Amino acid sequence: MASRKEYLRFVLEQLSDFDDVSYRPMMGEFILCYRGKIVGGIYDDRLLVKKTRAASRLMPSAICEMPYEGAKEMLRVDEVENKELLTKLFQAMYDELPPQKRKNNGIGGITDELYSDYKRKY
């Protein structure tokens, strides 16, 4: 089941205190980036974030779920309506996240994934 854009808009509104949150669609779902790093995404209308120490500390009772079959487990954010928690969560996770990977664009050059045609800035 694909995620609804209404849910994406709600999550982005909750993150509106940040100037540098972006998203990109991926097979009916949405990848969320903060300051150039992938934080998580919206999968089947669920906000899932990468498992980091900071995320586990801020959400100790969070349930681990797989965004799709074969993927790494992520933490489900149940308190999406809690803007303060989301702000703290994204800020705390940032330093623990790996830098954005660069990929070959297939025509002999390297491009940064964040600057693909699918980048959306909120």
Side-chain angles (χ1 to χ4, degrees):
M1 174 177 119
S3 294
R4 296 172 295 134
K5 287 198 176 192
E6 294 81 19
Y7 187 74
L8 169 67
R9 282 192 284 273
F10 173 72
V11 171
L12 291 175
E13 180 58 35
Q14 294 299 93
L15 297 168
S16 63
D17 288 346
F18 295 122
D19 291 331
D20 37 13
V21 171
S22 61
Y23 73 92
R24 67 176 184 255
M26 182 189 78
M27 298 171 25
E29 309 299 350
F30 303 98
I31 304 297
L32 294 175
C33 298
Y34 171 58
R35 294 174 49 196
K37 295 181 179 182
I38 296 174
V39 177
I42 297 173
Y43 304 91
D44 297 327
D45 286 341
R46 301 169 297 163
L47 175 58
L48 303 178
V49 295
K50 290 188 173 192
K51 286 172 68 172
T52 64
R53 280 184 234 127
S56 296
R57 188 180 69 251
L58 287 169
M59 302 184 309
S61 60
I63 296 171
C64 292
E65 295 186 1
M66 291 179 27
Y68 51 88
E69 192 173 324
K72 291 182 182 177
E73 283 188 335
M74 300 175 83
L75 297 175
R76 186 177 75 204
V77 180
D78 286 327
E79 296 183 52
V80 180
E81 66 284 341
N82 186 339
K83 195 171 189 172
E84 183 179 336
L85 172 67
L86 290 181
T87 300
K88 286 180 184 176
L89 179 63
F90 275 47
Q91 288 173 333
M93 290 177 63
Y94 181 79
D95 288 334
E96 295 179 23
L97 295 170
Q100 186 73 304
K101 291 181 183 177
R102 296 177 68 82
K103 68 177 184 178
N104 188 326
N105 65 6
I107 56 173
I110 302 295
T111 59
D112 190 348
E113 287 180 348
L114 283 180
Y115 296 102
S116 71
D117 294 336
Y118 298 106
K119 182 180 177 199
R120 304 282 199 285
K121 183 77 175 168
Y122 183 76

